[in-house]
Amino acid sequence: MNALDRLITLFSKLPGIGKKSAGRIAYYILDSNPVLAGTLAKELTGLHQAIRRCTVCGGFTETDPCSVCADTSRDHSLICVIESAQDMRIIEDAREFPGVYHVLGGLIAPLEGISPANLSIDKLISRLGKGNVKELILALNPTVEGDTTALYLQKTLKDFPVEITRLASGMPVGGNIEYIDKLTLSRSFRGRVKV
Amino acid sequence: MNALDRLITLFSKLPGIGKKSAGRIAYYILDSNPVLAGTLAKELTGLHQAIRRCTVCGGFTETDPCSVCADTSRDHSLICVIESAQDMRIIEDAREFPGVYHVLGGLIAPLEGISPANLSIDKLISRLGKGNVKELILALNPTVEGDTTALYLQKTLKDFPVEITRLASGMPVGGNIEYIDKLTLSRSFRGRVKV
């Protein structure tokens, strides 16, 4: 296998990139100024040294604790529980949430061998143990795994004096009743709000 | 901008990768064993040193001339003219073509400032000048640019004793007449073959 084939194989292992896209990307890089390949290589080399896990929330950060956990202007009594560090970026981009985060590192999925012990739940409990936390928002995907994990957390944390909420599930903004699936429609009905 | 943001920005510049996919890929690499980032970095660093242009056909290769041009069992009287080096890979994968290639390095596109002088046409003429070439297959996209380039080559090369053909254009295998566009359908009629 030559250098180009090796690069294509590597790219095709990345999420969302098939064999054809991997080929297009590799040829694009080869066709471009070598500076592009060099810069990419440099960033990839330094990535794991530059970015680590925040010891408080588990998000990716260059400083520890991360800028969100270190920000005293944020509401530290409000913790948003998320599946992965990437979700933090997405929620931050929406500029809606004034609190801090807790990254679980996955969702309970017995079939994939992911049990509660694999998630960062102990750490969440120790954060709650310090008091001061008033509300836990479970921002987990409305899927079987997300629902299971939410239920598990609800049971496990029931003795803490903390309110546990979950993100509203229903029709996406701009969605069309005609095309919405039955489960989502049924959730939209159950979660209906007063106007 | 931190290391993660820089990597996401770089990825989002690659073809077919949007801002969201770039984020997913960067987080995937960060979540994976650092070996993945290291291997990718290594391949990217060595890419432009390992892969160069074949001085005969213009394709990407580790050796010069490339394995196709150096292969004496191939039909060197049959040259397939292609837009980019990547097309060579795609045609080779189909294992249909027994001849050799010539990479133009683009298609004539006046609006984008690509004139015949920007393409590797002189080199093609000098290859034809050596004689021995019986047929030139223009494997160019059936687009305005592809048609223009094919027409230009046909006119420019009309004095050479070489047959110039073009890939058949028509309905893709597995296609449906109902969903095919008018132009393709019209080409399918004009290019109809005896059964």
Side-chain angles (χ1 to χ4, degrees):
Chain A
M1 202 148 68
N2 73 20
L4 189 56
D5 291 324
R6 287 200 303 273
L7 188 64
I8 291 174
T9 307
L10 276 171
F11 273 128
S12 66
K13 284 179 184 160
L14 299 177
I17 301 187
K19 195 87 191 163
K20 284 223 169 177
S21 314
R24 267 178 71 207
I25 293 167
Y27 276 94
Y28 175 85
I29 293 173
L30 200 47
D31 256 338
S32 304
N33 191 310
V35 168
L36 173 63
T39 316
L40 250 174
K42 209 184 105 225
E43 289 299 342
L44 284 164
T45 306
L47 186 68
H48 284 83
Q49 273 122 42
I51 307 283
R52 64 196 111 171
R53 292 271 181 185
C54 170
T55 48
V56 180
C57 71
F60 287 121
T61 175
E62 283 193 332
T63 55
D64 190 20
C66 71
S67 56
V68 173
C69 289
D71 188 346
T72 50
S73 74
R74 295 188 76 120
D75 184 354
H76 288 254
S77 73
L78 186 61
I79 296 182
C80 181
V81 178
I82 50 180
E83 177 185 347
S84 71
Q86 200 184 344
D87 295 338
M88 184 164 154
R89 180 190 201 84
I90 294 160
I91 297 172
E92 281 298 285
D93 277 352
R95 296 172 189 278
E96 179 65 40
F97 179 65
V100 293
Y101 295 89
H102 189 85
V103 178
L104 285 181
L107 293 175
I108 299 172
L111 291 177
E112 291 170 46
I114 305 174
S115 75
N118 301 117
L119 309 182
S120 174
I121 295 176
D122 286 354
K123 222 172 190 171
L124 179 62
I125 290 174
S126 91
R127 281 179 85 176
L128 292 178
K130 287 179 193 143
N132 308 331
V133 181
K134 289 187 191 131
E135 185 179 349
L136 220 55
I137 303 180
L138 307 182
L140 307 174
N141 289 338
T143 57
V144 174
E145 290 80 11
D147 292 352
T148 309
T149 310
L151 206 66
Y152 179 86
L153 287 175
Q154 200 184 313
K155 281 187 182 170
T156 310
L157 308 175
K158 68 177 188 303
D159 293 336
F160 287 94
V162 62
E163 191 175 11
I164 301 180
T165 58
R166 206 170 161 195
L167 287 195
S169 173
M171 287 185 52
V173 176
N176 188 324
I177 290 182
E178 198 176 344
Y179 300 120
I180 225 76
D181 64 288
K182 283 182 206 165
L183 270 172
T184 303
L185 193 59
S186 126
R187 283 212 184 181
S188 295
F189 270 96
R190 274 187 278 147
R192 66 192 180 278
V193 288
K194 247 193 164 137
V195 287
Chain B
M1 204 150 64
N2 74 19
L4 190 56
D5 291 324
R6 287 199 303 272
L7 189 63
I8 292 174
T9 307
L10 276 171
F11 273 128
S12 65
K13 283 178 186 161
L14 299 177
I17 300 187
K19 197 88 190 163
K20 282 221 170 177
S21 314
R24 267 177 71 207
I25 293 168
Y27 275 95
Y28 175 84
I29 293 174
L30 200 47
D31 255 337
S32 304
N33 190 310
V35 168
L36 173 64
T39 317
L40 251 174
K42 210 184 106 226
E43 291 298 343
L44 285 164
T45 307
L47 186 68
H48 284 83
Q49 274 123 41
I51 308 282
R52 64 196 112 172
R53 294 271 182 185
C54 170
T55 49
V56 180
C57 72
F60 287 122
T61 175
E62 283 194 332
T63 56
D64 189 21
C66 71
S67 57
V68 173
C69 289
D71 188 346
T72 52
S73 73
R74 296 188 75 118
D75 185 353
H76 287 252
S77 74
L78 186 60
I79 297 182
C80 180
V81 178
I82 50 181
E83 176 185 348
S84 72
Q86 200 185 344
D87 295 338
M88 185 164 154
R89 179 192 202 83
I90 293 160
I91 297 171
E92 281 299 283
D93 277 352
R95 297 173 188 277
E96 179 65 40
F97 180 65
V100 293
Y101 295 88
H102 189 84
V103 178
L104 285 181
L107 294 174
I108 299 171
L111 290 179
E112 291 169 47
I114 305 175
S115 75
N118 300 117
L119 309 182
S120 173
I121 294 175
D122 287 353
K123 223 171 189 172
L124 177 62
I125 291 173
S126 90
R127 282 180 85 177
L128 292 178
K130 288 180 189 141
N132 308 331
V133 181
K134 287 185 192 130
E135 186 179 349
L136 220 56
I137 303 180
L138 308 181
L140 307 174
N141 289 337
T143 57
V144 174
E145 290 81 11
D147 293 352
T148 309
T149 310
L151 205 68
Y152 179 85
L153 287 175
Q154 200 183 312
K155 281 187 180 169
T156 310
L157 308 174
K158 68 177 188 302
D159 294 335
F160 287 95
V162 63
E163 193 175 9
I164 300 179
T165 59
R166 204 169 164 199
L167 286 195
S169 173
M171 285 185 53
V173 176
N176 189 322
I177 289 182
E178 200 176 344
Y179 299 120
I180 226 76
D181 64 288
K182 283 182 206 167
L183 270 172
T184 303
L185 193 59
S186 127
R187 283 213 184 184
S188 296
F189 269 98
R190 275 186 279 149
R192 66 193 181 276
V193 288
K194 247 192 164 137
V195 287

